[in-house]
Amino acid sequence: MGLLTASVFLGMMVGGYVWGYLADQRGRCSVLAISLTINGLFGGLASMAPWFWLFLLMRIISGVGVGGSLPVIFSYFSEFMPRLRRGAMISCLATFWMAGNIMAAGMAWLVIPSTSAHFSLGSLDFQSWRVFVILCSIPSLTSALLFKLLMPESPKFLMEIGKEKEAIHVFHVMFKINTMGQNKTFPEIGLCTNSKQQGSLKDGMQCSRCQQIISIFYLGFLPIIKLFNGPLKSRSIVLLIIFYCISFGYYGLWMWFPELFDRIENDGSPCANVSLPSPLHNQSCYPVKTAVYIEGFIIALSNLPGNIFTILVMDHTGGKLLLSCSLVVSSLSVFFIYLVQTKNQSLVLSCIFSGVSVISWNALDVMGTELYPTHLRSSALGFFTGVGRVAAITGNLVFGKLVDTSCAVPILLVSVLLLTGGLVSVVLPQTRQTALT
């Protein structure tokens, strides 16, 4: 179970920075389309894998695509938003994370227990969970198509690389949509653009093959070097700590909620000792217990109050205060999960943890886009989400190793890490309604 959940995070860890870097070099829109295509294509292919190792491999490659879409979409979206409403609008965008969780949990609830979705495809026993995997890949493929056909490049990025005409064209399209039916004329404007065109990765590489490889690696890691030098150094170190703490806690605990619920229901404690079947024991997956999907659906729905709250107050308070307070409250809710004795108590605290944690994620999404300049924005978000995936993998493996022997350790560790993240976040600069650089 831990290996399966960690496989996607492994791909996201690699994809996050690679796609983020390419988005700063080649543009946001095309990178989004490619990363979403990889996610959807290999996610769909995973449904037909006849062996577990191949299923894991397909999920890793699919995760590479997911890793690209997450950091780049926030850079892309923020660069279209007006300064005074940017926090609320990014929070609105993050709300679709909740919508996706609700849709996935609801679809799993409907599809996986269904015996009618079980059929044979040649020699492959195409069970209902494979149908669910295919359905989960469709949104990525349709989104990739929409980005490729309909969405323009970020005008902020075009200005950064000195493409004034292309940027003005995008502004013209935006103007037509925003003033539709008002008979307004697009004004004559001049843009303050970077005078230098964005360099190609091959620029200045007319040298030996070995030197070319070294130059490519140097260019690839140059954004990370810039993040931890000069005025960006202190905020990058703080964000590194916060992303690790919240990702270890959130993903480590989220993936193991069903197991903890089951133990509370059977033994009255999330840390009850259980005797596991032999790893070679072939357990039947049918009939499927639907309670896990009902609980997952309720927990996903519990994000709604947190999302609404951030949309309403983000532009008034800024992300810093919300980030710090929500991490501290999340820490307390996890601590009390360790003490619960009934399944209903655990479900309530899990909903509180999920609803408050989403405030932290929304605040991070807003602050992450505002703390870095355009030429580093996607690279920075990609790097920090990659760090988060390392933490998610670690959290899953720690829970998997200790849930049967020292269950209290990972739960209390999550509580401590979330508290640490909340305390260090107070040293971040306030970015409320600042202009993007």
Side-chain angles (χ1 to χ4, degrees), residues 142-183:
T142 54
S143 297
L145 191 62
L146 287 173
F147 270 102
K148 187 68 176 176
L149 299 179
L150 300 178
M151 302 300 290
E153 183 54 81
S154 160
K156 184 73 176 172
F157 172 78
L158 293 172
M159 292 164 63
E160 179 67 24
I161 62 173
K163 293 186 176 182
E164 182 178 4
K165 290 182 179 180
E166 290 86 344
I168 290 178
H169 173 72
V170 175
F171 284 128
H172 190 269
V173 172
M174 293 168 62
F175 180 84
K176 286 178 63 177
I177 295 173
N178 291 336
T179 61
M180 191 175 295
Q182 299 179 23
N183 295 322

Side-chain angles (χ1 to χ4, degrees), residues 313-390:
V313 306
M314 183 67 75
D315 286 318
H316 300 287
T317 64
K320 178 179 174 179
L321 179 63
L322 291 179
L323 178 61
S324 181
C325 293
S326 60
L327 283 173
V328 172
V329 176
S330 296
S331 171
L332 292 174
S333 65
V334 172
F335 177 77
F336 285 113
I337 286 175
Y338 170 64
L339 301 177
V340 299
Q341 296 181 338
T342 69
K343 187 174 181 179
N344 288 336
Q345 291 174 353
S346 179
L347 184 58
V348 169
L349 282 171
S350 301
C351 288
I352 293 173
F353 168 72
S354 182
V356 176
S357 294
V358 78
I359 299 176
S360 305
W361 285 114
N362 291 355
L364 270 180
D365 293 334
V366 173
M367 294 194 72
T369 61
E370 296 175 338
L371 285 171
Y372 295 97
T374 300
H375 69 283
L376 289 175
R377 186 168 295 119
S378 291
S379 297
L381 289 175
F383 172 74
F384 289 119
T385 53
V387 169
R389 305 317 160 201
V390 174

Side-chain angles (χ1 to χ4, degrees), residues 290-306:
T290 59
V292 64
Y293 304 117
I294 299 172
E295 291 150 4
F297 186 84
I298 293 172
I299 294 174
L301 196 60
S302 69
N303 288 339
L304 182 59

Side-chain angles (χ1 to χ4, degrees), residues 83 86 156 369-370 372 377 431-437:
R83 175 174 58 87
R86 187 172 58 240
K156 184 73 176 172
T369 61
E370 296 175 338
Y372 295 97
R377 186 168 295 119
T431 60
R432 182 171 62 93
Q433 297 183 352
T434 56
L436 294 181
T437 57

Side-chain angles (χ1 to χ4, degrees), residues 56-341:
L56 282 180
L57 179 61
M58 294 295 102
R59 297 299 295 167
I60 290 172
I61 300 174
S62 175
V64 172
V66 180
S69 57
L70 286 174
V72 179
I73 190 61
F74 285 103
S75 295
Y76 178 79
F77 186 78
S78 67
E79 290 167 1
F80 283 91
M81 293 300 111
R83 175 174 58 87
L84 297 180
R85 296 292 297 158
R86 187 172 58 240
M89 296 307 298
I90 293 176
S91 298
C92 284
L93 175 65
T95 301
F96 285 85
W97 179 9
M98 173 201 68
N101 277 333
I102 293 172
M103 183 180 291
M107 194 160 54
W109 186 4
L110 292 173
V111 174
I112 294 180
S114 173
T115 55
S116 61
H118 185 182
F119 58 92
S120 296
L121 189 65
S123 60
L124 183 63
D125 185 19
F126 214 86
Q127 299 177 348
S128 57
W129 68 265
R130 295 183 183 272
V131 176
F132 173 70
V133 172
I134 288 181
L135 292 174
C136 286
S137 68
I138 293 175
S140 288
L141 294 173
T142 54
S143 297
L145 191 62
L146 287 173
F147 270 102
K148 187 68 176 176
L149 299 179
L150 300 178
M151 302 300 290
E153 183 54 81
S154 160
K156 184 73 176 172
F157 172 78
L158 293 172
M159 292 164 63
E160 179 67 24
I161 62 173
K163 293 186 176 182
E164 182 178 4
K165 290 182 179 180
E166 290 86 344
I168 290 178
H169 173 72
V170 175
F171 284 128
H172 190 269
V173 172
M174 293 168 62
F175 180 84
K176 286 178 63 177
I177 295 173
N178 291 336
T179 61
M180 191 175 295
Q182 299 179 23
N183 295 322
K184 291 186 177 181
T185 304
F186 186 69
E188 293 292 329
I189 60 172
L191 302 179
C192 181
T193 60
N194 193 330
S195 59
K196 294 180 67 176
Q197 292 281 330
Q198 191 84 349
S200 167
L201 292 177
K202 295 182 180 179
D203 289 350
M205 290 189 187
Q206 303 303 319
C207 49
S208 69
R209 176 74 62 179
C210 183
Q211 288 175 319
Q212 288 183 19
I213 294 173
I214 293 172
S215 296
I216 290 173
F217 273 97
Y218 174 75
L219 289 173
F221 285 101
L222 186 59
I224 299 178
I225 297 172
K226 292 180 179 178
L227 292 179
F228 291 92
N229 275 304
L232 300 178
K233 180 179 179 180
S234 59
R235 67 185 63 178
S236 296
I237 292 173
V238 172
L239 280 180
L240 185 73
I241 296 171
I242 294 171
F243 266 94
Y244 190 90
C245 290
I246 190 174
S247 298
F248 184 102
Y250 183 85
Y251 288 111
L253 201 57
W254 178 274
M255 295 297 181
W256 288 91
F257 270 151
E259 179 69 20
L260 298 180
F261 285 160
D262 189 54
R263 294 182 182 207
I264 292 170
E265 185 175 33
N266 295 329
D267 303 288
S269 169
C271 292
N273 291 324
V274 295
S275 57
L276 295 177
S278 165
L280 299 178
H281 181 64
N282 187 19
Q283 293 176 285
S284 174
C285 296
Y286 293 93
V288 176
K289 295 180 180 179
T290 59
V292 64
Y293 304 117
I294 299 172
E295 291 150 4
F297 186 84
I298 293 172
I299 294 174
L301 196 60
S302 69
N303 288 339
L304 182 59
N307 278 308
I308 294 174
F309 179 76
T310 51
I311 291 170
L312 294 176
V313 306
M314 183 67 75
D315 286 318
H316 300 287
T317 64
K320 178 179 174 179
L321 179 63
L322 291 179
L323 178 61
S324 181
C325 293
S326 60
L327 283 173
V328 172
V329 176
S330 296
S331 171
L332 292 174
S333 65
V334 172
F335 177 77
F336 285 113
I337 286 175
Y338 170 64
L339 301 177
V340 299
Q341 296 181 338

